[in-house]
Amino acid sequence: MIIIINKHKMNRRNTKQRQLVAEAVRALEHPNAEEVYTAVSRENPNIGKATVYRNLNLLAEQGQIGRVTPGEGADRYDFRTDKHYHMRCRACGKVFDAPMTPLPSPAQLLGDTGGFKVEDHTIEFVGLCPGCYKKTTEEQNNG
């Protein structure tokens, strides 16, 4: 008798480690993998960094969390999986949800794409978060 193990089904098990990773992403605001690892390792000191990274990738592939790829810096993870846009602070690198409803049909806004089929889009607003803006203003006033 030959038993075939479907690797993809095996990865769909909801392990304790995967639950901890998902909970960390939910609790933190757009964390990167290192921030998730730090949070999870406080809860479970025996968990390895590779396990956290593997579970982040798996959760993102399964659509249970979102992966935010900012213009600069490491990927970030988002518990929101609906279509939405982000703002990134150019000073500290933090990512925030943008208060904007998604565009209904970006392909219509583009006009003639020369045969390019638009499948998805991202919008990232870059600037200074309130904390970094305040810090920059204070430094300018004091210096």
Side-chain angles (χ1 to χ4, degrees):
M1 175 181 212
I2 298 175
I3 298 174
I4 299 173
I5 298 174
N6 184 333
K7 194 175 180 182
H8 295 289
K9 280 189 179 177
M10 219 170 61
N11 285 339
R12 291 195 180 136
R13 289 183 320 183
N14 200 7
T15 64
K16 177 68 174 165
Q17 291 93 343
R18 194 162 307 132
Q19 286 175 331
L20 289 172
V21 169
E23 287 169 13
V25 171
R26 181 192 305 256
L28 302 168
E29 176 103 14
H30 300 93
N32 62 30
E34 190 63 33
E35 291 167 335
V36 173
Y37 170 70
T38 300
V40 170
S41 64
R42 275 191 222 118
E43 182 87 17
N44 182 351
N46 296 326
I47 196 165
K49 193 177 277 192
T51 300
V52 171
Y53 281 54
R54 184 174 53 253
N55 279 296
L56 280 169
N57 286 324
L58 185 62
L59 288 166
E61 286 170 13
Q62 292 177 346
Q64 294 181 39
I65 62 172
R67 184 189 318 264
V68 179
T69 305
E72 294 179 12
D75 283 357
R76 301 261 176 181
Y77 297 90
D78 194 348
F79 204 75
R80 282 186 60 187
T81 57
D82 62 311
K83 185 70 175 172
H84 64 286
Y85 306 121
H86 295 98
M87 302 177 296
R88 177 178 49 86
C89 179
R90 65 176 169 77
C92 67
K94 288 181 183 173
V95 174
F96 307 87
D97 291 331
M100 175 183 172
T101 56
L103 298 172
S105 177
Q108 291 176 345
L109 297 173
L110 289 173
D112 183 10
T113 61
F116 186 90
K117 168 121 176 54
V118 176
E119 296 175 341
D120 196 11
H121 69 283
T122 58
I123 295 178
E124 178 186 57
F125 298 93
V126 180
L128 293 172
C129 70
C132 290
Y133 179 76
K134 182 180 178 187
K135 188 175 170 184
T136 302
T137 319
E138 287 172 357
E139 288 172 359
Q140 288 173 352
N141 291 336
N142 294 331

